[in-house]
Amino acid sequence: MPSITRTFRLSLLAAALAATPAFAQEAPLQAVAPTEQAESPLGLALSTFAAQRGVALSFDPALAAGRTAPALSGTFSTEQGFARLLAGTGLRLQVLADGSYTLAAADARPAGGTRRTQPLRVGGDRQAFRFAEGVQLDEDYIHAQVAGNRDIGRLLLTNPAARFDNTQLSNFTPGDISPANVSINGAPFYQNAFTVDGMNINNDIDPAGNSSPYKLYAAPGSSQALALDTELLERLEVLDSNIPARYGGFNGGVINAELRRPSDEFSGKFGYTTSRSEWTQYHIADSLKEDYENASSWGDGQPEFRKETWNATLEGRVSDSVSLLGNFTRTRSTIPTYFYSAHLVDSYGTDKETQRQQNDQATLKAVWDVNDRLIVDATVLHAPSENKLFRSNIRGAGVRIVGGGTFANTRATWLTDWGKVEQRLSWSRSEQTRDAESDDYYTWQRSETKDWGTTSLTLEGEFGDVEQTQRRLMYNLDASTDVIEWAGGVHTFTSGLAITRDTYDYRRLSDSSTYTTPVRTSTCTNSTGVLVDACDIGLTSSGWPGQYLSRRTRYAAGQIGFDVENYAAYIDDTMQYGNVAIRPGIRIERDSYMGQTTVSPRLAMNWAPREGTLLTAGANRYYGRSMATWKLRDGMNLLRYNSERRTSLDSGWTVGTQPGNDTYFDLHRIGYQDELMLAWDQQWGNLRSLVKVVNRKAYDQPINVSGRNAGTTPDDTNLTSSYRTWVSNGRGESTNYSLSIDTREPWVLGATSTQLHFSASWLDVKRAVPTYEDESDLFYLNPMIRYDGRYLRYQEKPADNYARPWTTSLTAITRIEPLNLQLTNQLRYSAGYRRIYDTGLNEVYNGESIDVWEEMSFAPTITWDMRVHWEQDLGNKGGTVYTNLDITNVLDRSNINGVSSSVGNALYYDIGRQFSLEVGYRF
């Protein structure tokens, strides 16, 4: 073995020296050159790159055994290239006395030692993408950020392509733990493609459904099918323009999360994080303070809360070729509020109920390094979430909103003689479900036994269980070639196919009735001795000895479901001719849901006129996804039976009348966006800047409209006169102008090193398409309006959410090694909230009465967030203790996010200064 090792080391050194016969000193690591290199075993990748760059490199092959290096594509310095190849390996480049290089253990996760990391890319690594596709956030950057709810959305707050809900940081929801929804380049927040280890985690049931948990027929949703905890991420890719043909099913962007490999050594980590109302400053308008302090059920506010996260990780090799990582994380929030509505607390009592939110994530990842050419990995995520709520003033009205599910994925990566082949098989089951405490809802006359009512009536119960599920089975095959010299240039071909089968189900699990109209009775047993339903004995406010309810609306148990099959194939060619690179591509998909075959052309190109300058352009088409709820709602109302009655305890219930179908599904086109983009990437000494312009035009977007206005002539004879449908008439346009500036290497001052990232963007939304849930019909009818003194069409008024026109951010991450400290400071300055509203007034314009709309603009928002990280090595392999202190809104600014439409235009604010503390131990 020693002779083989020596031979291998000498051969690597000889190869490097052969490539640089005049090499006699340390190669210039800052030299920049274009690089095309496929994913390959680490040892081969390092020797190939070293030979290309004229670097003499020798190392013990055991250090690289069983490891895979990522592909390199783009223009890098030699140091940057090595850093990419070695990222996450626990190895570093070390210069020897003769000017050559070797590998040494950097111990990224030492047994009890200080966590050593590569230089941070504070704004993310844009050089990872050749055509200005987006940004890649590495593990160090992720762990340096203020954690918030530890969700993906939090990591995108400084991304210039991203916009968030106005109320994302609202004072009314400081205890919420749900993941943030995000819009990319003006697209709907539910039209991003999320993946984990390559498997799809999108919620395609009803992501934009009504946010109220008290709906009869549905449950609120989110754009992500699970609340992914970012603790285990090795990297996060955010693609927002020039997105390759490999990706489909989005209008906005692609967000790829990759879980890290298990470490080689047996190691672990245990942590606890908490935040609470006592550590939070609230900004509440004077006219709302009393109601807020007496908050009751969902939507009233959260004056008391406690958020806690427990996580535990164990990992290591179980054999020479197999390594495992296991993790369990639980995030829980408890929110006690009053049972009675705020204005009734003083009169009816201070009883409290507790709302509870919980996200669990059990993760198992296995990696099998079969040989230097084949790697097999498997990931299983069990990530259920639930939100337990109650209704004010109503007993037995508990409701549990259930989301998340189970996701499993296996992937085989084969390095061939000509390139790489990756196959992936994934399965998932997720849900968007309402689990009610009671199947039935009762309207009683207030009585001695039903004594909690606040009027002459007492309300009790809930509306039954509704289960919505999404099951997905997906196979992917992706292949890419090594660099091929052909037709005067070099080419890298990438191609693949995907086959997906989705099954969507809507189920009302049992009959559910809403009972009304009390009638006097002295018994709840009929003449045959049977105890009847919806009956109670207790002296009522009318003096009755008891009561039974004589009318009901019944929702019958039933199921609606369908299957969808999707087939996709793509190919692209990244070609280089001198200092010009071009990547044409095409993606073709067939969808059984809409019955449409779509063709998505993709074209990206760049030109490097000189070292350090790169000009990029692109023209692309992106087809989005179709939501299951559009079809599931067709027929849902037929489960309802109105006006069922009984005249006595001995009479049975009559069978009610069906009201008819209130939704008609007849969509046959998939919404898409066409993109044009330009970018200028420039190095300025130790700074790197990126100026980018992305124009998106949206077509065939689904619009919710009444059948009367749509003018459709459906063949469904059961439709009601007020039925609604969707039409593919939505068109929109937005342009995002952005600037990003990063330090390429840390700025060193004494014992400190600092990385900086600045970003700014202007989002010009010329026409915003409403969500598929919007039932106003105004976008479809597009009438003339007067907006802020100007006459224009309704579709031309500005967007009022996910569309702050401008935003800027500055992030600094400073390390102070002697103190084992790392400080993250993030300052965000963005356009203020704009209230765009119908005044209720009308005026005559060209002989036509039109609505008058106005805009209320508020001051820009300023938010400074900070993280203080400290750790201490316990020595003698005793492990490391660490702590993270997060402070959001350090300046305790009163940032406005909304205006009350009911309480005298009272202002709503973001959360004030808030503290969160994490303590932990790793070994």
Side-chain angles (χ1 to χ4, degrees):
M1 179 62 71
S3 61
I4 296 175
T5 300
R6 176 177 174 81
T7 301
F8 187 79
R9 288 167 60 102
L10 290 174
S11 67
L12 288 177
L13 181 60
L17 291 174
T20 54
F23 187 87
Q25 60 182 8
E26 179 182 345
L29 294 187
Q30 300 307 316
V32 176
T35 301
E36 289 293 336
Q37 188 169 308
E39 182 176 315
S40 58
L42 179 61
L44 178 61
L46 289 169
S47 59
T48 300
F49 185 73
Q52 291 174 349
R53 294 302 179 95
V55 173
L57 174 68
S58 61
F59 59 87
D60 184 344
L63 289 173
R67 301 181 184 276
T68 300
L72 293 180
S73 178
T75 302
F76 314 106
S77 69
T78 303
E79 183 178 28
Q80 290 165 347
F82 277 121
R84 292 177 196 286
L85 295 175
L86 294 172
T89 64
L91 302 173
R92 61 184 173 84
L93 205 62
Q94 179 176 309
V95 64
L96 300 176
D98 62 358
S100 65
Y101 290 86
T102 188
L103 295 183
D107 267 337
R109 293 181 190 87
T114 302
R115 190 169 187 260
R116 304 292 182 187
T117 58
Q118 298 292 334
L120 284 167
R121 303 302 172 194
V122 177
D125 198 346
R126 300 181 187 279
Q127 299 177 51
F129 301 105
R130 186 169 186 175
F131 296 99
E133 293 98 326
V135 62
Q136 179 174 286
L137 311 179
D138 65 16
E139 185 178 0
D140 294 327
Y141 175 86
I142 292 169
H143 284 280
Q145 298 309 295
V146 173
N149 288 328
R150 299 157 63 108
D151 65 303
I152 289 174
R154 179 77 201 187
L155 298 175
L156 305 185
L157 283 177
T158 62
N159 191 306
R163 294 295 188 275
F164 294 84
D165 191 312
N166 289 327
T167 62
Q168 179 59 40
L169 301 175
S170 172
N171 253 334
F172 275 73
T173 56
D176 275 13
I177 58 174
S178 55
N181 290 318
V182 57
S183 166
I184 293 180
N185 284 328
F189 69 84
Y190 48 85
Q191 282 291 3
N192 299 313
F194 289 89
T195 69
V196 177
D197 282 2
M199 62 178 163
N200 185 312
I201 61 165
N202 298 304
N203 172 22
D204 292 339
I205 299 172
D206 188 12
N210 193 294
S211 59
S212 170
Y214 306 132
K215 290 294 181 182
L216 281 165
Y217 59 87
S222 175
S223 59
Q224 301 168 52
L226 62 87
L228 182 70
D229 186 276
T230 57
E231 165 70 20
L232 297 180
L233 295 192
E234 180 177 84
R235 63 180 179 271
L236 184 73
E237 292 181 345
V238 184
L239 311 180
D240 58 65
S241 62
N242 271 349
I243 301 173
R246 176 176 183 172
Y247 301 103
F250 66 93
N251 281 165
V254 176
I255 300 172
N256 295 323
E258 186 74 19
L259 302 180
R260 63 178 176 81
R261 283 179 58 108
S263 65
D264 291 336
E265 301 296 327
F266 176 69
S267 56
K269 180 179 179 181
F270 306 93
Y272 170 77
T273 306
T274 184
S275 180
R276 53 198 67 181
S277 50
E278 294 87 349
W279 299 354
T280 302
Q281 293 294 319
Y282 290 84
H283 296 281
I284 307 295
D286 289 341
S287 58
L288 299 174
K289 279 186 177 179
E290 183 177 356
D291 282 353
Y292 191 90
E293 291 169 358
N294 293 334
S296 183
S297 57
W298 174 84
D300 288 352
Q302 299 170 351
E304 295 181 57
F305 73 90
R306 174 173 290 192
K307 291 199 288 191
E308 299 172 291
T309 298
W310 298 265
N311 68 86
T313 304
L314 292 174
E315 57 188 307
R317 283 195 177 271
V318 296
S319 71
D320 290 342
S321 59
V322 177
S323 54
L324 295 176
L325 180 152
N327 168 271
F328 179 77
T329 299
R330 168 167 290 174
T331 300
R332 183 176 65 192
S333 181
T334 54
I335 308 165
T337 54
Y338 290 101
F339 172 73
Y340 285 104
S341 298
H343 67 287
L344 298 173
V345 168
D346 292 339
S347 302
Y348 287 89
T350 57
D351 293 352
K352 286 194 171 183
E353 298 280 347
T354 299
Q355 302 176 47
R356 288 184 174 86
Q357 301 181 23
Q358 183 168 299
N359 296 331
D360 287 343
Q361 181 175 304
T363 306
L364 179 64
K365 181 166 184 174
V367 178
W368 178 23
D369 297 304
V370 182
N371 52 48
D372 283 346
R373 287 179 174 264
L374 179 62
I375 299 174
V376 179
D377 66 87
T379 304
V380 179
L381 284 170
H382 179 60
S385 62
E386 65 177 33
N387 187 356
K388 295 181 179 179
L389 305 112
F390 66 95
R391 287 183 189 261
S392 303
N393 314 323
I394 307 175
R395 297 294 185 192
V399 62
R400 192 168 65 101
I401 304 301
V402 181
T406 302
F407 302 77
N409 178 66
T410 184
R411 177 173 53 185
T413 304
W414 176 37
L415 303 175
T416 70
D417 292 334
W418 49 265
K420 183 182 75 169
V421 176
E422 181 179 289
Q423 297 188 78
R424 184 171 62 255
L425 182 65
S426 58
W427 173 90
S428 64
R429 181 192 183 277
S430 58
E431 61 184 314
Q432 188 175 329
T433 291
R434 187 189 72 221
D435 181 12
E437 182 180 351
S438 172
D439 284 336
D440 301 307
Y441 184 83
Y442 307 91
T443 303
W444 304 102
Q445 191 175 119
R446 185 180 169 96
S447 69
E448 290 178 341
T449 51
K450 308 292 183 182
D451 60 356
W452 59 87
T454 60
T455 66
S456 61
L457 299 176
T458 292
L459 305 178
E460 181 182 16
E462 248 300 326
F463 298 127
D465 299 341
V466 170
E467 182 183 82
Q468 299 178 110
T469 59
Q470 166 183 319
R471 286 170 290 164
R472 173 169 289 148
L473 181 64
M474 187 172 188
Y475 169 76
N476 295 80
L477 170 65
D478 299 288
S480 59
T481 68
D482 292 334
V483 173
I484 299 172
E485 295 185 7
W486 177 58
V490 294
H491 300 255
T492 302
F493 293 94
T494 304
S495 62
L497 58 87
I499 303 172
T500 307
R501 182 179 178 85
D502 289 306
T503 299
Y504 298 101
D505 279 302
Y506 172 94
R507 298 175 188 268
R508 182 169 282 280
L509 300 181
S510 59
D511 280 12
S512 173
S513 298
T514 57
Y515 293 94
T516 63
T517 316
V519 174
R520 178 186 178 117
T521 187
S522 58
T523 180
C524 286
T525 303
N526 66 18
S527 60
T528 63
V530 175
L531 190 67
V532 300
D533 59 342
C535 183
D536 180 69
I537 299 300
L539 187 64
T540 72
S541 57
S542 297
W544 302 344
Q547 57 185 313
Y548 72 91
L549 302 179
S550 61
R551 295 189 179 186
R552 72 181 184 186
T553 298
R554 179 170 56 91
Y555 296 84
Q559 183 260 347
I560 301 170
F562 64 98
D563 297 329
V564 176
E565 294 179 350
N566 179 280
Y567 306 91
Y570 74 90
I571 186 170
D572 61 33
D573 175 16
T574 302
M575 57 186 78
Q576 181 89 34
Y577 292 91
N579 58 358
V580 174
I582 306 172
R583 188 188 63 205
I586 191 168
R587 181 181 182 88
I588 301 174
E589 292 190 60
R590 176 68 182 179
D591 187 323
S592 66
Y593 188 2
M594 295 294 161
Q596 180 183 5
T597 300
T598 61
V599 179
S600 303
R602 311 279 173 91
L603 177 63
M605 61 190 76
N606 63 39
W607 172 45
R610 61 182 182 182
E611 184 176 320
T613 301
L614 189 66
L615 303 177
T616 303
N620 304 278
R621 174 168 291 183
Y622 310 127
Y623 277 90
R625 301 189 313 282
S626 302
M627 304 308 154
T629 190
W630 303 341
K631 190 170 184 177
L632 291 177
R633 293 188 198 181
D634 190 342
M636 195 179 294
N637 203 46
L638 295 176
L639 299 176
R640 186 170 115 197
Y641 293 83
N642 292 334
S643 302
E644 295 191 335
R645 302 182 182 188
R646 60 182 176 184
T647 58
S648 70
L649 298 183
D650 288 323
S651 64
W653 288 99
T654 63
V655 177
T657 58
Q658 286 183 289
N661 190 8
D662 61 0
T663 303
Y664 179 64
F665 174 77
D666 191 35
L667 282 175
H668 299 287
R669 298 203 300 272
I670 299 173
Y672 66 94
Q673 291 203 358
D674 283 343
E675 172 188 272
L676 297 174
M677 68 82 65
L678 295 171
W680 170 30
D681 190 332
Q682 182 66 52
Q683 294 182 19
W684 313 84
N686 192 38
L687 297 178
R688 188 182 189 98
S689 66
L690 177 68
V691 177
K692 187 155 72 168
V693 180
V694 180
N695 174 263
R696 295 280 190 87
K697 292 183 178 178
Y699 301 92
D700 291 350
Q701 302 296 311
I703 303 298
N704 192 325
V705 63
S706 70
R708 180 183 64 256
N709 286 326
T712 55
T713 55
D715 54 5
D716 187 347
T717 59
N718 290 319
L719 286 172
T720 65
S721 59
S722 59
Y723 79 90
R724 302 197 66 83
T725 187
W726 284 274
V727 294
S728 300
N729 284 28
R731 300 183 66 177
E733 181 177 1
S734 65
T735 305
N736 195 340
Y737 307 85
S738 65
L739 167 66
S740 299
I741 302 175
D742 302 274
T743 49
R744 298 173 59 206
E745 300 297 333
W747 283 349
V748 178
L749 179 62
T752 70
S753 62
T754 301
Q755 286 272 13
L756 296 174
H757 168 70
F758 170 80
S759 70
S761 73
W762 177 273
L763 179 63
D764 180 14
V765 181
K766 293 182 172 62
R767 180 181 296 178
V769 179
T771 71
Y772 63 78
E773 189 73 10
D774 188 323
E775 296 185 352
S776 71
D777 282 15
L778 289 173
F779 187 91
Y780 180 80
L781 297 174
N782 200 22
M784 287 294 300
I785 63 172
R786 195 188 81 176
Y787 171 74
D788 223 21
R790 295 176 290 140
Y791 296 99
L792 43 79
R793 291 287 179 183
Y794 178 87
Q795 293 182 7
E796 298 172 317
K797 74 176 181 62
D800 59 358
N801 203 4
Y802 293 97
R804 296 285 176 105
W806 57 268
T807 181
T808 62
S809 69
L810 177 64
T811 302
I813 301 180
T814 301
R815 287 181 178 158
I816 309 174
E817 292 290 352
L819 301 179
N820 295 330
L821 274 178
Q822 180 170 283
L823 306 177
T824 301
N825 287 280
Q826 187 180 94
L827 183 66
R828 302 190 303 279
Y829 181 50
S830 62
Y833 168 72
R834 294 188 300 176
R835 182 192 181 196
I836 298 169
Y837 65 103
D838 186 346
T839 64
L841 302 175
N842 299 90
E843 69 173 56
V844 176
Y845 176 76
N846 289 342
E848 177 185 1
S849 178
I850 64 173
D851 296 334
V852 177
W853 289 68
E854 295 291 348
E855 176 181 315
M856 293 175 63
S857 298
F858 297 91
T861 64
I862 301 175
T863 306
W864 173 18
D865 295 340
M866 175 187 293
R867 163 165 281 206
V868 181
H869 170 80
W870 173 83
E871 61 183 44
Q872 179 61 52
D873 181 6
L874 300 180
N876 295 321
K877 297 185 178 181
T880 298
V881 293
Y882 68 91
T883 183
N884 289 305
L885 174 64
D886 290 347
I887 312 172
T888 54
N889 197 356
V890 174
L891 301 177
D892 197 26
R893 295 271 303 182
S894 298
N895 293 324
I896 297 168
N897 64 48
V899 178
S900 171
S901 59
S902 58
V903 187
N905 288 334
L907 300 179
Y908 296 135
Y909 297 91
D910 285 348
I911 303 167
R913 184 187 301 115
Q914 185 178 53
F915 295 87
S916 177
L917 179 65
E918 178 185 10
V919 293
Y921 168 77
R922 67 174 182 267
F923 64 92

